[in-house]
Amino acid sequence: MTSAPRGPRTSRPRRLLAAAGLLAVGLVVGVSVAVSLFLNSSRTIVLVGHDTEVRPTTTGDAVVQTGPLLPDFRFRDVGPIGVTLTLGKTEVGSIEELVQRYGFIATDPTAQVGKVRGVVVDMAVSAAVRGLAAGLVPVAVFLLLGRHRRGELFRGVRTRRGAFGLVLLLALPVLLWQPWESDAETQDQQESWQTLAELAGPDVTLPAEARDIEVRVGPVTTETKKLVLSAVDTYDRSKAFYSTAAEQAADLDVRVPEDGETVALLVSDRHDNIGMDRVARAIGEAAGATVVLDAGDDTSTGEPWEAFSLDSLAGTFEDWDRFGVAGNHDHGSFVSTYLADKGWTMLDGEAVEAPWGGVLMGVDDPRSSGLGNWRDESGLSFAEVGTRLADAACAEAEDGERVSTLLVHDANLGGEALERGCVDLVVGGHTHVHSGPDAVEAEDGTVGWTWTNGTTGGAAYAIAVGSKPRRDAEVSLITYADGRPTGLQLVRLRTDGSWVVGDWTALTPDP
């Protein structure tokens, strides 16, 4: 019995050619879709205190659209991909205050630039993944149809009806794109760009790095020009003050750790003063610190528009061990959640293992953002939270894990834990005035200490943003050995730029 004759088999070169053609089609479709999605995508983030829409462009420039009251700014040739930043809502008392904030943030824009770069990269990756999915569609359709149906489809294209359908298919992208549509002429198109140096004129001395920043100008009023120059002045004075302080901090005569010791840097009450972040880091590096303890009040209101302050803090200490609590001005859960997402360990009333080998505990200030593990129990007073915290610390001590440090916003919150002899050291801030170390003897004769750091942001009340600290700015250095605190040192930057380095005070933990 003879077998039925087989159909002609496709030769290997033809199969390879068909596969190459199919991959080429998929690649063209995928890249086209990815590029289109990327260039037409946008994300809304919180940037320089504003809800900001981020859009990538092919111009290579970064354009900041500030709204109807202030001129737009442009930074030329920032990279192969440019970006348009459209500033939206923010919290501000006046236009003058807003402009000064811009100038202050510009003195250390690393965190904000990194945030934009990360968002653009994320949009590019998202567009690439979607483009890959679109590029796989023609490949999947080709394989699903099979040779027989593909033959019928290609033969159908030769008919009048098939040709008409192919024309409609090819015309579809053009109909969706509608390149013949044009936008109406806008005010932006009637304005031109001018460098700050040209805008300011020959009588104004600008920082070298600001001279080439471009401003969109039309009928720029005298008041608008004054606002722009005010921002430049704030930028110049702020950068000079904090940059000089950071350089000087590297040479301060602070105690350095000996073998087996760990140093932690304590900051508190920053109140949005990002200028002090690099100064605090420089002090910590001079003292050999590898841990940062944040006692809260990083913001003034705890609102999302203050994310620029948290971005700066997180970026400055990105490679350190980081622990924190929220202060009474960090209202709500935004601050704690935001820093936790940035990799910080935000203490919530539970004991954690500290980098120095001991036990660390802490909790948010009950007057603001929560009550640690007691968040579901509302109405607790400050004293009641202190009692709960003392109970938790003493439970750890009974289990043989004495708490080496209790991190709180207000050191009074740890008073009962000290009086019951359950912790070695309570550290906090809140008062904006330094105090300690003060010894507290418990009923059983054990001794612990309390220490209050002044305001790291140099804040007067809840406001710290300015060309220099509004009052003396402070950080503290805590030395640990064998899991216990063994010494404290205060470092203070005065408003005139001079320094006060306190003596290193030894602590002798009870056995």
Side-chain angles (χ1 to χ4, degrees):
M1 184 174 178
T2 60
S3 59
R6 295 181 179 180
R9 298 185 63 182
T10 304
S11 64
R12 182 179 179 83
R14 290 186 62 186
R15 290 200 303 270
L16 292 176
L17 183 61
L22 183 61
L23 290 176
V25 171
L27 182 63
V28 170
V29 171
V31 171
S32 300
V33 170
V35 171
S36 177
L37 288 174
F38 176 62
L39 295 179
N40 289 282
S41 61
S42 67
R43 294 281 178 86
T44 299
I45 62 174
V46 178
L47 192 73
V48 294
H50 291 263
D51 294 340
T52 303
E53 183 184 60
V54 181
R55 287 185 175 276
T57 68
T58 58
T59 62
D61 301 332
V63 178
V64 182
Q65 298 178 338
T66 61
L69 299 180
L70 294 172
D72 298 340
F73 289 86
R74 181 169 70 177
F75 302 83
R76 301 306 304 272
D77 302 323
V78 296
I81 298 297
V83 66
T84 297
L85 308 173
T86 304
L87 304 186
K89 290 184 178 181
T90 187
E91 294 291 334
V92 69
S94 66
I95 294 296
E96 290 78 9
E97 180 184 332
L98 180 65
V99 170
Q100 287 185 358
R101 186 201 301 169
Y102 292 159
F104 180 68
I105 294 175
T107 62
D108 192 5
T110 305
Q112 302 300 283
V113 171
K115 193 171 188 176
V116 173
R117 183 181 292 113
V119 169
V120 173
V121 169
D122 187 58
M123 285 191 286
V125 171
S126 177
V129 171
R130 295 182 182 183
L132 175 62
L136 291 176
V137 170
V139 178
V141 171
F142 182 87
L143 296 175
L144 287 173
L145 285 175
R147 187 193 307 172
H148 179 68
R149 291 187 178 89
R150 289 198 300 269
E152 291 181 344
L153 181 62
F154 293 141
R155 287 191 295 272
V157 173
R158 300 172 185 172
T159 65
R160 182 179 298 177
R161 180 179 298 177
F164 180 70
L166 180 61
V167 170
L168 290 179
L169 182 62
L170 295 176
L172 181 60
V174 178
L175 294 174
L176 292 173
W177 179 24
Q178 297 184 5
W180 55 85
E181 290 287 342
S182 61
D183 295 329
E185 188 173 357
T186 63
Q187 184 68 31
D188 286 350
Q189 295 170 331
Q190 298 174 7
E191 296 177 342
S192 60
W193 292 97
Q194 193 176 73
T195 65
L196 277 179
E198 293 170 339
L199 177 66
D203 298 331
V204 179
T205 302
L206 296 174
E209 61 271 24
R211 294 181 61 84
D212 293 331
I213 297 175
E214 295 183 346
V215 183
R216 194 194 296 272
V217 295
V220 178
T221 66
T222 302
E223 290 302 316
T224 301
K225 181 177 178 179
K226 287 181 180 179
L227 288 173
V228 173
L229 295 182
S230 173
V232 173
D233 180 63
T234 299
Y235 165 84
D236 196 22
R237 289 187 288 116
S238 298
K239 186 166 187 178
F241 183 90
Y242 292 111
S243 295
T244 300
E247 292 174 2
Q248 294 174 342
D251 299 322
L252 292 177
D253 186 20
V254 292
R255 183 184 184 275
V256 296
E258 299 176 355
D259 290 342
E261 293 182 338
T262 300
V263 176
L265 177 74
L266 173 65
V267 299
S268 69
D269 305 276
R270 292 171 55 255
H271 289 296
D272 296 329
N273 188 350
I274 63 174
M276 276 299 298
D277 289 343
R278 62 182 182 271
V279 180
R281 165 91 188 209
I283 296 170
E285 288 180 342
T290 56
V291 183
V292 58
L293 303 177
D294 179 10
D297 270 8
D298 290 301
T299 66
S300 296
T301 63
E303 296 295 329
W305 71 267
E306 293 175 283
F308 74 90
S309 176
L310 307 179
D311 289 330
S312 174
L313 179 69
T316 300
F317 297 102
E318 185 176 18
D319 55 340
W320 289 24
D321 292 311
R322 297 156 292 170
F323 301 86
V325 295
N328 62 299
H329 280 280
D330 299 322
H331 300 290
S333 60
F334 172 74
V335 171
S336 292
T337 302
Y338 197 91
L339 287 177
D341 290 342
K342 292 288 186 180
W344 285 65
T345 299
M346 302 305 291
L347 303 175
D348 60 0
E350 293 288 339
V352 300
E353 183 177 351
W356 51 83
V359 175
L360 173 66
M361 285 187 69
V363 70
D364 291 349
D365 194 287
R367 295 164 293 193
S368 60
S369 52
L371 303 174
N373 279 351
W374 318 293
R375 290 176 188 270
D376 58 345
E377 187 174 351
S378 61
L380 294 180
S381 67
F382 187 89
E384 289 171 325
V385 174
T387 297
R388 300 288 181 92
L389 194 57
D391 290 343
C394 292
E396 292 294 323
E398 291 174 0
D399 290 339
E401 296 288 347
R402 180 178 171 87
V403 176
S404 66
T405 300
L406 195 58
L407 176 64
V408 288
H409 178 60
D410 184 343
N412 289 327
L413 194 62
E416 184 172 342
L418 278 174
E419 292 170 357
R420 289 162 63 175
C422 300
V423 300
D424 289 330
L425 176 66
V426 174
V427 295
H430 181 60
T431 63
H432 294 200
V433 177
H434 164 254
S435 66
D438 296 321
V440 177
E441 184 175 352
E443 294 179 358
D444 61 359
T446 59
V447 176
W449 290 270
T450 179
W451 174 275
T452 296
N453 184 72
T455 163
T456 301
Y461 302 103
I463 301 173
V465 174
S467 58
K468 65 177 184 178
R470 296 171 182 261
R471 65 192 305 171
D472 293 351
E474 297 178 356
V475 299
S476 301
L477 300 166
I478 311 172
T479 305
Y480 294 91
D482 299 324
R484 311 286 292 277
T486 58
L488 292 159
Q489 187 172 27
L490 177 74
V491 180
R492 176 181 298 149
L493 173 63
R494 294 187 181 276
T495 56
D496 61 1
S498 62
W499 290 91
V500 174
V501 179
D503 294 332
W504 186 80
T505 303
L507 305 180
T508 305
D510 283 323

